[in-house]
Amino acid sequence: MTCIFCQIASGKIATDLLYSDEHVVAFQDIRPQAPKHVLVVPRAHVASLWELEDRELAGALLLAAAEVGRSQGLGAGYRVITNIRKHGGQEVPHLHLHVVGGHPLGPMLQQD
Ligand code: 5GP
Ligand code: ZN
């Protein structure tokens, strides 16, 4: 198993989990882009949103992102992002939602 997020989700790489249920885990991004930057990741290997077909998992991911927003104190607002494949800038080929916030985020498609 070489997928880094599969290894984190299975516990093979020890990581502090901020959220965990039967479908999903969440943990801090290693290179945070904002004061709060959490990754919400399915336990099952799904390469990206392009490949996602499981409706229950889709719901679990979105509800986990909502719960992480609440548990991280992001009531002032935050953003949930998923990068998809090459043009989307996806680096880790295991589906993940970025939960980003903790300060005002600016325009969504800022290029710099
Ligand atoms: P992507 O560009 O694929 O949407 O985002 C991948 C994210 O995973 C990046 O924000 C990167 O910092 C994060 N990341 C990559 N490797 C690791 C890791 O081993 N541990 C954690 N916690 N985050 C990682
Ligand atoms: Zn994986």
Side-chain angles (χ1 to χ4, degrees), residues 82-98:
T82 188
N83 297 322
I84 302 158
R85 296 188 164 180
K86 187 175 174 185
H87 284 193
Q90 185 180 5
E91 289 175 7
V92 176
H94 178 132
L95 173 62
H96 49 282
L97 304 183
H98 297 258

PDB file of all heavy atoms in Angstrom, residues 82-98:
ATOM      1  N   THR A  82     -12.167  20.774  -3.155  1.00  0.00           N
ATOM      2  CA  THR A  82     -11.508  19.537  -3.570  1.00  0.00           C
ATOM      3  C   THR A  82     -10.877  19.754  -4.939  1.00  0.00           C
ATOM      4  O   THR A  82     -11.527  20.225  -5.874  1.00  0.00           O
ATOM      5  CB  THR A  82     -12.459  18.321  -3.541  1.00  0.00           C
ATOM      6  OG1 THR A  82     -11.696  17.138  -3.765  1.00  0.00           O
ATOM      7  CG2 THR A  82     -13.592  18.418  -4.556  1.00  0.00           C
ATOM      8  N   ASN A  83      -9.608  19.476  -5.032  1.00  0.00           N
ATOM      9  CA  ASN A  83      -8.877  19.589  -6.288  1.00  0.00           C
ATOM     10  C   ASN A  83      -8.999  18.254  -7.027  1.00  0.00           C
ATOM     11  O   ASN A  83      -8.839  17.190  -6.420  1.00  0.00           O
ATOM     12  CB  ASN A  83      -7.408  19.923  -6.017  1.00  0.00           C
ATOM     13  CG  ASN A  83      -7.249  21.269  -5.338  1.00  0.00           C
ATOM     14  OD1 ASN A  83      -7.970  22.215  -5.644  1.00  0.00           O
ATOM     15  ND2 ASN A  83      -6.319  21.356  -4.403  1.00  0.00           N
ATOM     16  N   ILE A  84      -9.266  18.347  -8.327  1.00  0.00           N
ATOM     17  CA  ILE A  84      -9.555  17.149  -9.113  1.00  0.00           C
ATOM     18  C   ILE A  84      -8.577  17.036 -10.275  1.00  0.00           C
ATOM     19  O   ILE A  84      -8.509  17.924 -11.142  1.00  0.00           O
ATOM     20  CB  ILE A  84     -11.009  17.174  -9.635  1.00  0.00           C
ATOM     21  CG1 ILE A  84     -11.980  17.279  -8.453  1.00  0.00           C
ATOM     22  CG2 ILE A  84     -11.311  15.941 -10.491  1.00  0.00           C
ATOM     23  CD1 ILE A  84     -13.339  17.818  -8.830  1.00  0.00           C
ATOM     24  N   ARG A  85      -7.791  15.988 -10.253  1.00  0.00           N
ATOM     25  CA  ARG A  85      -6.870  15.642 -11.348  1.00  0.00           C
ATOM     26  C   ARG A  85      -5.915  16.803 -11.686  1.00  0.00           C
ATOM     27  O   ARG A  85      -5.735  17.725 -10.919  1.00  0.00           O
ATOM     28  CB  ARG A  85      -7.660  15.147 -12.559  1.00  0.00           C
ATOM     29  CG  ARG A  85      -8.414  13.831 -12.261  1.00  0.00           C
ATOM     30  CD  ARG A  85      -9.031  13.246 -13.488  1.00  0.00           C
ATOM     31  NE  ARG A  85      -9.387  11.849 -13.260  1.00  0.00           N
ATOM     32  CZ  ARG A  85      -9.951  11.071 -14.172  1.00  0.00           C
ATOM     33  NH1 ARG A  85     -10.235  11.534 -15.373  1.00  0.00           N
ATOM     34  NH2 ARG A  85     -10.229   9.817 -13.897  1.00  0.00           N
ATOM     35  N   LYS A  86      -5.271  16.677 -12.819  1.00  0.00           N
ATOM     36  CA  LYS A  86      -4.127  17.533 -13.155  1.00  0.00           C
ATOM     37  C   LYS A  86      -4.491  19.013 -13.226  1.00  0.00           C
ATOM     38  O   LYS A  86      -3.865  19.850 -12.565  1.00  0.00           O
ATOM     39  CB  LYS A  86      -3.539  17.059 -14.488  1.00  0.00           C
ATOM     40  CG  LYS A  86      -2.259  17.733 -14.887  1.00  0.00           C
ATOM     41  CD  LYS A  86      -1.702  17.096 -16.156  1.00  0.00           C
ATOM     42  CE  LYS A  86      -0.491  17.866 -16.651  1.00  0.00           C
ATOM     43  NZ  LYS A  86      -0.023  17.324 -17.948  1.00  0.00           N
ATOM     44  N   HIS A  87      -5.504  19.356 -13.992  1.00  0.00           N
ATOM     45  CA  HIS A  87      -5.842  20.769 -14.138  1.00  0.00           C
ATOM     46  C   HIS A  87      -6.435  21.353 -12.869  1.00  0.00           C
ATOM     47  O   HIS A  87      -6.423  22.571 -12.676  1.00  0.00           O
ATOM     48  CB  HIS A  87      -6.805  20.980 -15.312  1.00  0.00           C
ATOM     49  CG  HIS A  87      -6.142  20.897 -16.651  1.00  0.00           C
ATOM     50  ND1 HIS A  87      -6.741  21.292 -17.810  1.00  0.00           N
ATOM     51  CD2 HIS A  87      -4.913  20.447 -17.002  1.00  0.00           C
ATOM     52  CE1 HIS A  87      -5.919  21.109 -18.833  1.00  0.00           C
ATOM     53  NE2 HIS A  87      -4.801  20.579 -18.364  1.00  0.00           N
ATOM     54  N   GLY A  88      -6.941  20.490 -11.992  1.00  0.00           N
ATOM     55  CA  GLY A  88      -7.453  20.947 -10.703  1.00  0.00           C
ATOM     56  C   GLY A  88      -6.355  21.139  -9.669  1.00  0.00           C
ATOM     57  O   GLY A  88      -6.621  21.588  -8.556  1.00  0.00           O
ATOM     58  N   GLY A  89      -5.125  20.745 -10.026  1.00  0.00           N
ATOM     59  CA  GLY A  89      -4.007  20.915  -9.099  1.00  0.00           C
ATOM     60  C   GLY A  89      -3.930  19.846  -8.032  1.00  0.00           C
ATOM     61  O   GLY A  89      -3.310  20.052  -6.982  1.00  0.00           O
ATOM     62  N   GLN A  90      -4.532  18.671  -8.299  1.00  0.00           N
ATOM     63  CA  GLN A  90      -4.503  17.595  -7.302  1.00  0.00           C
ATOM     64  C   GLN A  90      -3.113  16.969  -7.250  1.00  0.00           C
ATOM     65  O   GLN A  90      -2.583  16.540  -8.278  1.00  0.00           O
ATOM     66  CB  GLN A  90      -5.548  16.529  -7.657  1.00  0.00           C
ATOM     67  CG  GLN A  90      -5.651  15.435  -6.605  1.00  0.00           C
ATOM     68  CD  GLN A  90      -6.696  14.384  -6.950  1.00  0.00           C
ATOM     69  OE1 GLN A  90      -7.301  14.404  -8.024  1.00  0.00           O
ATOM     70  NE2 GLN A  90      -6.886  13.446  -6.047  1.00  0.00           N
ATOM     71  N   GLU A  91      -2.541  16.922  -6.039  1.00  0.00           N
ATOM     72  CA  GLU A  91      -1.209  16.327  -5.857  1.00  0.00           C
ATOM     73  C   GLU A  91      -1.286  14.935  -5.265  1.00  0.00           C
ATOM     74  O   GLU A  91      -0.484  14.066  -5.618  1.00  0.00           O
ATOM     75  CB  GLU A  91      -0.358  17.227  -4.951  1.00  0.00           C
ATOM     76  CG  GLU A  91       0.048  18.515  -5.638  1.00  0.00           C
ATOM     77  CD  GLU A  91       0.794  19.457  -4.704  1.00  0.00           C
ATOM     78  OE1 GLU A  91       1.122  19.059  -3.567  1.00  0.00           O
ATOM     79  OE2 GLU A  91       1.028  20.603  -5.123  1.00  0.00           O
ATOM     80  N   VAL A  92      -2.198  14.724  -4.338  1.00  0.00           N
ATOM     81  CA  VAL A  92      -2.333  13.407  -3.703  1.00  0.00           C
ATOM     82  C   VAL A  92      -3.533  12.698  -4.340  1.00  0.00           C
ATOM     83  O   VAL A  92      -4.668  13.181  -4.229  1.00  0.00           O
ATOM     84  CB  VAL A  92      -2.527  13.537  -2.179  1.00  0.00           C
ATOM     85  CG1 VAL A  92      -2.772  12.161  -1.569  1.00  0.00           C
ATOM     86  CG2 VAL A  92      -1.313  14.199  -1.547  1.00  0.00           C
ATOM     87  N   PRO A  93      -3.296  11.573  -5.028  1.00  0.00           N
ATOM     88  CA  PRO A  93      -4.368  10.938  -5.786  1.00  0.00           C
ATOM     89  C   PRO A  93      -5.271  10.037  -4.932  1.00  0.00           C
ATOM     90  O   PRO A  93      -5.487   8.863  -5.245  1.00  0.00           O
ATOM     91  CB  PRO A  93      -3.599  10.132  -6.848  1.00  0.00           C
ATOM     92  CG  PRO A  93      -2.313   9.784  -6.185  1.00  0.00           C
ATOM     93  CD  PRO A  93      -1.987  10.937  -5.264  1.00  0.00           C
ATOM     94  N   HIS A  94      -5.737  10.590  -3.821  1.00  0.00           N
ATOM     95  CA  HIS A  94      -6.744   9.964  -2.958  1.00  0.00           C
ATOM     96  C   HIS A  94      -7.681  11.107  -2.573  1.00  0.00           C
ATOM     97  O   HIS A  94      -7.221  12.100  -1.983  1.00  0.00           O
ATOM     98  CB  HIS A  94      -6.056   9.314  -1.750  1.00  0.00           C
ATOM     99  CG  HIS A  94      -6.974   8.658  -0.751  1.00  0.00           C
ATOM    100  ND1 HIS A  94      -6.754   7.380  -0.251  1.00  0.00           N
ATOM    101  CD2 HIS A  94      -8.085   9.110  -0.145  1.00  0.00           C
ATOM    102  CE1 HIS A  94      -7.705   7.073   0.621  1.00  0.00           C
ATOM    103  NE2 HIS A  94      -8.531   8.117   0.711  1.00  0.00           N
ATOM    104  N   LEU A  95      -8.943  10.986  -2.943  1.00  0.00           N
ATOM    105  CA  LEU A  95      -9.935  12.045  -2.727  1.00  0.00           C
ATOM    106  C   LEU A  95      -9.818  12.665  -1.338  1.00  0.00           C
ATOM    107  O   LEU A  95      -9.694  11.951  -0.344  1.00  0.00           O
ATOM    108  CB  LEU A  95     -11.340  11.435  -2.900  1.00  0.00           C
ATOM    109  CG  LEU A  95     -12.547  12.305  -2.561  1.00  0.00           C
ATOM    110  CD1 LEU A  95     -12.611  13.534  -3.446  1.00  0.00           C
ATOM    111  CD2 LEU A  95     -13.816  11.476  -2.682  1.00  0.00           C
ATOM    112  N   HIS A  96      -9.861  13.993  -1.282  1.00  0.00           N
ATOM    113  CA  HIS A  96      -9.858  14.698   0.003  1.00  0.00           C
ATOM    114  C   HIS A  96     -10.531  16.043  -0.157  1.00  0.00           C
ATOM    115  O   HIS A  96     -10.422  16.686  -1.199  1.00  0.00           O
ATOM    116  CB  HIS A  96      -8.429  14.872   0.548  1.00  0.00           C
ATOM    117  CG  HIS A  96      -7.451  15.414  -0.442  1.00  0.00           C
ATOM    118  ND1 HIS A  96      -6.892  14.629  -1.432  1.00  0.00           N
ATOM    119  CD2 HIS A  96      -6.942  16.658  -0.616  1.00  0.00           C
ATOM    120  CE1 HIS A  96      -6.081  15.380  -2.163  1.00  0.00           C
ATOM    121  NE2 HIS A  96      -6.095  16.614  -1.695  1.00  0.00           N
ATOM    122  N   LEU A  97     -11.213  16.461   0.900  1.00  0.00           N
ATOM    123  CA  LEU A  97     -11.779  17.809   0.972  1.00  0.00           C
ATOM    124  C   LEU A  97     -10.859  18.643   1.845  1.00  0.00           C
ATOM    125  O   LEU A  97     -10.513  18.230   2.964  1.00  0.00           O
ATOM    126  CB  LEU A  97     -13.180  17.784   1.595  1.00  0.00           C
ATOM    127  CG  LEU A  97     -14.215  16.884   0.935  1.00  0.00           C
ATOM    128  CD1 LEU A  97     -15.568  17.048   1.642  1.00  0.00           C
ATOM    129  CD2 LEU A  97     -14.357  17.165  -0.550  1.00  0.00           C
ATOM    130  N   HIS A  98     -10.443  19.799   1.349  1.00  0.00           N
ATOM    131  CA  HIS A  98      -9.708  20.762   2.166  1.00  0.00           C
ATOM    132  C   HIS A  98     -10.740  21.604   2.923  1.00  0.00           C
ATOM    133  O   HIS A  98     -11.611  22.208   2.288  1.00  0.00           O
ATOM    134  CB  HIS A  98      -8.878  21.708   1.295  1.00  0.00           C
ATOM    135  CG  HIS A  98      -7.796  21.057   0.493  1.00  0.00           C
ATOM    136  ND1 HIS A  98      -6.470  21.112   0.864  1.00  0.00           N
ATOM    137  CD2 HIS A  98      -7.832  20.349  -0.652  1.00  0.00           C
ATOM    138  CE1 HIS A  98      -5.728  20.478  -0.036  1.00  0.00           C
ATOM    139  NE2 HIS A  98      -6.534  20.004  -0.978  1.00  0.00           N
TER     140      HIS A  98
END
